[in-house]
Amino acid sequence: MEKNFVNYHVLISHNPSCLNRDDMNMQKTAVFGGTKRIRISSQSLKRTMRKSDYYKENISDSSIRSRLLFHPEEPNLKDLFVENLKDRFHEDIIIKALEVLSGKKYDAAVEIMADSVAPWAIEEVAWFCEKIEQSGSSFDDKKFIKEVKQDIAALRENLKQSVDIALSGRMATSGLMTELGKVDGALAVAHAITTHTVENDLDWFTAVDDLQELGSGHLDTQEFSSGVFYRYASLNLGQLRDNLGNASREEVLRIAAHVLHLLATETPSAKQQSFAAFNLADFAMVSFSDMPISLANAFESPVPKNEKGFLKPSIEKLQEYWSKIHSGYALDEKTTIFTISDFNIVEGLSKKNNLADVERWIVSDGE
C-alpha cells in the first residue's frame, strides 16, 4: 500500500553563527524540555529553500511574495507581470486579471496595496489573462467566476511553474483569490532547534577607520552561538498531487527527493559574511509513513555535554527514539538513513552510502 507522508529528520551542526534574528536583533530561541535552545524559524528555512539556486534549477521559479499591487514609481506586481507577460498579453488584460484576483481597482497615480502579503505565480496570472482575453468585450465578473470554478484543476496545474505555493500553501483575503486562490500547503516545516541547551555568546566588535589615528569608527555587539540543530519536515504527497492539478505520484516523489536535498544542504544567509556557517547535514533520516511523525521529543531531555561533543550523542538519541516510537506504535514505515558519522545502526533502519542514494530511494517510492 502506498504511503501518503514523507517524514524528514535532519541533524546539522552549525559552527558559531547567528542564522536567524528577532526584531531586537537577538538570536531566536525557544524553551524546550525546560532549557533554552537556539531556534531557526520555519519561515526562515522555507524562504532559504525556495530562494536557492538548487530550487530554481531543479523544481521551479520561486513565487513573488508581495502586497504592493500598483504603484506609480516603486517596483510593484503590475509592472513585474507586464514585463514577464508582455509578449503574450496586452497590458490592459494583465491589469484586469490583477484587479479580479485582488479585488482592487487600478489607478495609475495611486499606490494600491493588497490586503496581505501573498505569493503570486506568473503562470497562474497568465492563465487568468488567457481566460479574460477569451471572454472579450462580454467579460462579466460573476460569470467569469462560475466558469473558472469549473476548471479549477487546470488552474492548479499552473502551480507546477511555482511549486513553493503548492508546498507552502497560500491564504488570500480579497478578490477572486479568496475563493480560488486558497491553497492548503503540502509541506509542514518545524522550527529547527538545538538538540541541547545553549547559552548565547556575545561578540563585541569594532570597525576600524583607516583614516582615524586612534580608536575605531564603530563599536557594536552581536549575539552568536553554535550547536547541533534538529530539522523536521513532513510532506503530504496526496495534498501535493491535488495542489498541482492531479499530478502523478512520480512527479511528486521527484519533488520529495529535492525537498530532502534542500533540508540537508541549504542554510539561512543571515550574518554569513561574518560567520560563514555553510554547514551540510551530518545525518538524514527519511521515512514513508501513514502519518506525519516528528521525533523532536528525542531531545526533550537535552543532550548533555561530554567529550564526544553533541553530534554523535544526538544521532544516537534520535535513532533510539525512532526505535521506541516505531515499535511502541507498531508503525508500518519504510525508513532509511544517510550519515557521514560512524555509529551503530539500530534494528529496522537501512543505511545508504550517500545523499544521492537516499534521493533515488525516495523517487523509487522507498524501494
Side-chain angles (χ1 to χ4, degrees):
M1 182 178 176
E2 293 180 341
K3 303 297 182 183
N4 190 51
F5 290 91
V6 181
N7 288 302
Y8 307 89
H9 312 278
V10 174
L11 292 175
I12 182 167
S13 181
H14 286 298
N15 55 271
S17 54
C18 184
L19 295 172
N20 198 199
R21 292 166 285 166
D22 62 20
D23 59 336
M24 300 297 290
N25 202 38
M26 311 288 274
Q27 280 197 110
K28 287 188 175 180
T29 61
V31 174
F32 186 55
T35 70
K36 187 173 80 170
R37 318 296 179 93
I38 300 301
R39 173 172 61 93
I40 300 173
S41 72
S42 59
Q43 296 93 328
S44 174
L45 288 173
K46 286 187 285 188
R47 179 175 173 80
T48 296
M49 290 162 63
R50 72 172 180 267
K51 291 297 183 182
S52 68
D53 290 338
Y54 181 91
Y55 188 99
K56 184 172 184 177
E57 292 167 7
N58 294 279
I59 300 180
S60 75
D61 287 330
S62 173
S63 62
I64 301 98
R65 298 183 179 230
S66 178
R67 61 185 297 240
L68 187 51
L69 282 166
F70 309 114
H71 197 288
E73 298 175 357
E74 299 294 329
N76 60 91
L77 287 167
K78 187 269 288 184
D79 289 350
L80 186 146
F81 285 117
V82 167
E83 176 62 27
N84 281 275
L85 298 173
K86 62 185 178 183
D87 296 333
R88 296 159 64 182
F89 304 102
H90 190 274
E91 182 174 335
D92 291 344
I93 297 292
I94 298 170
I95 290 173
K96 173 58 70 176
L98 292 175
E99 286 180 333
V100 170
L101 285 167
S102 67
K104 307 290 183 180
K105 288 296 181 181
Y106 172 63
D107 185 327
V110 178
E111 173 189 310
I112 299 172
M113 310 289 278
D115 292 339
S116 62
V117 175
W120 297 75
I122 290 173
E123 287 305 315
E124 189 175 37
V125 172
W127 187 85
F128 280 99
C129 287
E130 185 177 339
K131 292 292 182 181
I132 291 171
E133 190 173 61
Q134 290 171 357
S135 299
S137 57
S138 62
F139 177 79
D140 176 84
D141 286 21
K142 292 182 179 178
K143 182 180 177 182
F144 179 72
I145 290 172
K146 287 182 180 179
E147 291 175 351
V148 170
K149 282 182 177 179
Q150 295 171 1
D151 206 10
I152 195 70
L155 168 61
R156 288 288 177 263
E157 192 163 348
N158 288 284
L159 290 184
K160 290 178 182 178
Q161 307 299 320
S162 191
V163 176
D164 66 282
I165 297 177
L167 287 171
S168 298
R170 176 174 58 198
M171 183 183 72
T173 57
S174 64
L176 189 56
M177 278 288 194
T178 306
E179 294 190 61
L180 302 180
K182 183 178 181 298
V183 178
D184 292 325
L187 180 66
V189 180
H191 291 238
I193 59 171
T194 53
T195 63
H196 50 90
T197 304
V198 177
E199 293 300 328
N200 297 14
D201 290 307
L202 199 61
D203 179 30
W204 184 85
F205 64 90
T206 66
V208 176
D209 188 327
D210 291 334
L211 302 181
Q212 184 175 315
E213 187 173 349
L214 296 173
S216 64
H218 178 75
L219 302 175
D220 207 347
T221 58
Q222 177 63 62
E223 278 193 335
F224 71 95
S225 64
S226 61
V228 177
F229 287 80
Y230 171 62
R231 294 182 179 183
Y232 168 68
S234 180
L235 180 61
N236 183 327
L237 297 173
Q239 184 68 59
L240 184 57
R241 292 183 67 181
D242 290 344
N243 290 353
L244 295 176
N246 198 27
S248 67
R249 187 171 176 88
E250 289 73 20
E251 287 179 277
V252 297
L253 287 175
R254 282 194 293 271
I255 294 171
H258 291 315
V259 170
L260 169 65
H261 189 98
L262 291 162
L263 285 167
T265 61
E266 295 297 332
T267 305
S269 60
K271 303 296 285 187
Q272 288 286 36
Q273 297 305 109
S274 302
F275 292 103
F278 298 109
N279 309 108
L280 301 175
D282 299 275
F283 177 92
M285 176 189 291
V286 183
S287 69
F288 283 88
S289 179
D290 295 316
M291 68 182 81
I293 304 169
S294 168
L295 300 179
N297 283 344
F299 311 110
E300 195 271 342
S301 175
V303 174
K305 180 167 46 173
N306 59 38
E307 70 280 357
K308 296 180 180 178
F310 290 114
L311 179 59
K312 192 169 183 179
S314 295
I315 293 173
E316 291 170 350
K317 285 195 74 171
L318 187 64
Q319 280 198 108
E320 206 175 284
Y321 188 74
W322 173 85
S323 183
K324 290 177 180 177
I325 288 289
H326 194 265
S327 60
Y329 286 87
L331 298 178
D332 180 21
E333 289 184 304
K334 294 183 285 186
T335 310
T336 195
I337 64 169
F338 156 68
T339 181
I340 58 174
S341 301
D342 293 324
F343 60 88
N344 294 322
I345 301 172
V346 300
E347 186 179 351
L349 288 176
S350 65
K351 182 182 176 183
K352 301 299 181 185
N353 293 325
N354 50 53
L355 188 68
D357 283 347
V358 182
E359 292 172 34
R360 284 188 283 271
W361 180 83
I362 294 172
V363 171
S364 65
D365 219 345
E367 300 299 333

